[in-house]
Amino acid sequence: MNHNKRIEKCKAILVHYGFAAQQEKLVEECEELIEAAQNEDYDNFIEELADVTIMISQMVMSLNQEQQEQYNEMIDFKLDRTLRRIESDI
């Protein structure tokens, strides 16, 4: 499916249910992902990973421009930090 169509669908769901409900749903889906990750049911893990990805996308969409920039900067910071740690282990 086209990435833009996924974004449109996520936005429609977020608008319909609202931020607070989707934030609660994120918590529920994260709990289910943790449980699936601890088990050896690969299909369930994939399903829960998809659910969490959708919920995170909705949460990011709900951020204003400044918050989205902060979010992206934090991702870059964390990736760079982990890579520095890997390099120091070599």
Side-chain angles (χ1 to χ4, degrees), residues 11-60:
K11 283 182 183 178
I13 294 166
L14 178 61
V15 167
H16 178 79
Y17 289 109
F19 176 80
Q22 293 308 87
Q23 190 175 34
E24 286 181 33
K25 186 73 171 168
L26 171 63
V27 172
E28 175 188 323
E29 296 298 351
C30 285
E31 290 170 347
E32 292 174 3
L33 177 60
I34 290 167
E35 185 176 323
Q38 293 172 336
N39 297 326
E40 295 187 17
D41 183 348
Y42 185 75
D43 291 335
N44 183 243
F45 176 72
I46 294 298
E47 178 182 351
E48 299 306 334
L49 190 59
D51 287 342
V52 169
T53 300
I54 291 166
M55 300 313 300
I56 289 172
S57 294
Q58 290 179 22
M59 296 296 99
V60 173

Side-chain angles (χ1 to χ4, degrees), residues 1-8:
M1 177 182 298
N2 180 313
H3 178 71
N4 290 333
K5 289 217 182 268
R6 285 183 180 165
I7 290 171
E8 290 174 21

